[in-house]
Amino acid sequence: MRTCDCAIVRALREPDRLDQFSMAEWDTLIRQGRRADLLARLHGLVQEKNLLASLPEAPRAHLQAARVVADKQATAVAWEVRKIRAAIAHTGAPLILLKGAAYCMAALAAGRGRVFSDVDILVPRQRINHVEAALMLHGWVATQHDAYDQRYYRTWMHEIPPLLHIRRLSVIDVHHAILPETARLRPDPALLLAAAQPIADEPGVYTLAPADMVLHSASHLFCGEFGHGLRDLSDIDLLLREFGTVAGFWDGLVARAQSLDLARPLYYALHWATRLFATPVPPIVLREIDACARPSTPVKTLMNALLQRTLAPDHASCRDALSVPARALLYARAHWLRMPPHLLAYHLAHKALFPPRAATN
């Protein structure tokens, strides 16, 4: 099945046509949407169009239940963000939210019904030790105790090991960049920090600039994080639709991608958002990104074949014989983009020879 033919994709693209779904199609849609963490978002789209009452009772109940969970999570995240702000207030570091927490706190369309498992923040590298110490004084503890994993994060990655709050069990990822230190693409964190924008009514809390939010989401997805691929592409679709109405957004998007070394991820983001969700990207922007970031024909053909399968929900109704190999190849590509060959070989050898203790029990 092509990704664009998946029931959840058709529903998100054309919620006005949900009244034409049979009960069998609804059954598939609910299963795919739950697998992709997109049921609450679909509820939001349907509610926005005043279509809820026209849906069959059973699937409507599933959508409403998913929305209740997402709304409760959004309330919890807002409370958690204020705790983080209070914890690091004296460090001198700005609290810049990334991804789901940012969309939620900034009241963006991508935040409505967004489901996420942790809070991601970006701080200046020179302040990250102070931020980590401050968080530990307020109840967060390290989750990675293996000496190699500590070195892996602190030497090569773009974040310190995740921190877990000892009472609330919330998880925070503290970043000093948006891609690993060893990655082939190297967006300058200083440019992201300089352009960060305050969130209204949340003093001391920031998001990335609109174009940077799109580019971060694109780099996160198309440099290898496909675990929630369809949800993340839906984020990009909603961000582009919302920011695209702001004067000057489209004029500077491609240039910003080039300045941050993220033109290729933006290429995939724009083309796949338009392909799956009919995102209204101006033709001139597509021509600009094609001119500076279009891969060679063989690479483009291969990537399209892999993304076609990997962006679909990881559900039996969306799989074919090539789905597993496609995901494996993109997983290998992600590591190839994150580390140079000698370091990747060392890392894989260490993991093979010294697997995590939990995995050996």
Side-chain angles (χ1 to χ4, degrees), residues 121-137:
I121 69 172
L122 177 70
V123 300
R125 186 182 181 107
Q126 60 270 31
R127 306 303 300 172
I128 200 165
N129 290 338
H130 300 273
V131 169
E132 182 180 15
L135 290 169
M136 287 186 159
L137 285 174

Side-chain angles (χ1 to χ4, degrees), residues 211 213-223 226 229 232-240 250 253 257 262-281 285-286 289-290 293 295 303-304 307 311 333:
M213 267 195 268
V214 172
L215 293 169
H216 178 218
S217 188
S219 65
H220 180 77
L221 175 58
F222 291 101
C223 288
F226 288 100
D232 292 350
L233 189 66
S234 173
D235 287 347
I236 292 170
D237 167 57
L238 293 176
L239 291 174
L240 290 171
W250 291 116
L253 182 60
L262 295 175
R264 181 62 64 86
L266 180 64
Y267 169 87
Y268 288 122
L270 295 180
H271 279 275
W272 276 91
T274 56
R275 186 170 181 170
L276 294 193
F277 297 117
T279 310
V281 180
V285 175
L286 291 175
I289 198 65
D290 283 357
M303 282 297 291
N304 283 344
L307 291 170
L311 288 174
R333 172 183 176 268

